[in-house]
């Protein structure tokens, strides 16, 4: 496999685990603030991120590459509000999208067809990832300062498996 593509895909395993760590930290904070529903949503999101990391790890192994797990940076543990958490998650998803697009472009340029096809799933997934997080940010902005509406939304978001 092309060296640069390999290095960036290996790094993406770390990036996805970092996202899992970040969302789990948000979930912990939300739990502590008694927003169990939003905490559940973030925990499910953290779980999805570990699945993303494993998918890339498995692909690299399938094509005969070594996976070198890199250290995960410290994540924030304090947040200003529920909205702050979701805005942070959206900003992070945009960062991930830019990385996935870079990886896809690299696979195309280097004629790494297996990686190109594999990464298509992630390109599509990022559309969904950004949309669902942006929808949450929009809903939280609509709710504003109303605690009643926020608790109602908390209940709705807690329904995610
Ligand atoms: Fe793995 Fe939320 O992107």
């Amino acid at each position: 496999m092309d060296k640069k593509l390999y290095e960036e895909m290996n790094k993406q395993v770390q990036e996805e685990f970092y996202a899992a760590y970040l969302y789990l930290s948000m979930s912990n904070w939300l739990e502590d603030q008694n927003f169990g529903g939003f905490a559940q949503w973030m925990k499910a999101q953290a779980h999805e991120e570990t699945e993303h990391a494993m998918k890339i790890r498995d692909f690299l192994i399938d094509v005969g590459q070594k996976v070198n797990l890199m250290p995960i940076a410290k994540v924030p543990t304090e947040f200003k509000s529920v909205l702050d958490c979701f805005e942070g998650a959206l900003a992070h998803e945009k960062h991930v999208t830019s990385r996935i697009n870079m990886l896809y472009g690299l696979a195309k340029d280097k004629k790494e067809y297996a990686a190109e096809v594999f990464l298509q799933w992630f390109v599509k997934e990022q559309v969904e990832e950004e949309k669902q997080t942006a929808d949450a940010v929009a809903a939280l902005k609509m709710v504003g300062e109303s605690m009643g509406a926020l608790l109602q939304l908390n209940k709705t978001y807690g329904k995610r498996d």
Side-chain angles (χ1 to χ4, degrees):
M1 182 187 256
D2 173 79
K3 189 167 176 281
K4 168 92 174 139
L5 179 62
Y6 161 71
E7 284 170 359
E8 292 294 352
M9 285 191 78
N10 187 72
K11 183 170 180 348
Q12 195 60 28
V13 176
Q14 176 202 38
E15 290 266 352
E16 300 290 342
F17 277 125
Y18 176 85
Y21 228 51
L22 177 64
Y23 298 156
L24 193 58
S25 185
M26 288 171 173
S27 178
N28 295 346
W29 184 84
L30 289 161
E31 204 73 75
D32 195 49
Q33 305 292 312
N34 295 314
F35 288 116
F38 294 123
Q40 162 63 23
W41 193 94
M42 277 297 175
K43 192 169 83 168
Q45 192 59 26
H47 186 75
E48 254 193 33
E49 299 302 345
T50 63
E51 283 177 352
H52 294 170
M54 297 302 256
K55 241 185 208 298
I56 300 167
R57 178 250 182 215
D58 290 351
F59 174 79
L60 288 173
I61 287 174
D62 286 350
V63 296
Q65 300 293 320
K66 253 179 88 174
V67 177
N68 296 316
L69 294 177
M70 292 149 77
I72 314 283
K74 188 167 166 37
V75 290
T77 52
E78 291 297 327
F79 303 91
K80 290 201 277 287
S81 61
V82 179
L83 179 60
D84 184 40
C85 287
F86 280 83
E87 281 182 329
L90 181 58
H92 194 71
E93 286 305 321
K94 286 180 192 282
H95 162 73
V96 174
T97 300
S98 72
R99 282 208 46 94
I100 295 293
N101 289 345
M102 177 274 289
L103 288 172
Y104 187 77
L106 207 51
K108 257 182 121 71
D109 286 352
K110 305 288 183 181
K111 299 192 179 351
E112 289 281 359
Y113 301 121
E116 185 185 330
V117 170
F118 170 77
L119 287 163
Q120 269 171 10
W121 184 90
F122 280 87
V123 172
K124 256 176 72 186
E125 175 73 0
Q126 278 313 116
V127 174
E128 184 55 34
E129 293 277 272
E130 274 197 39
K131 186 194 180 308
Q132 65 177 7
T133 320
D135 284 351
V137 167
L140 284 162
K141 281 185 175 165
M142 262 190 272
V143 158
E145 298 294 304
S146 160
M147 188 49 83
L150 188 61
L151 289 175
Q152 191 55 46
L153 203 60
N154 177 56
K155 215 168 150 183
T156 307
Y157 272 73
K159 292 193 178 116
R160 179 177 179 180
D161 286 332

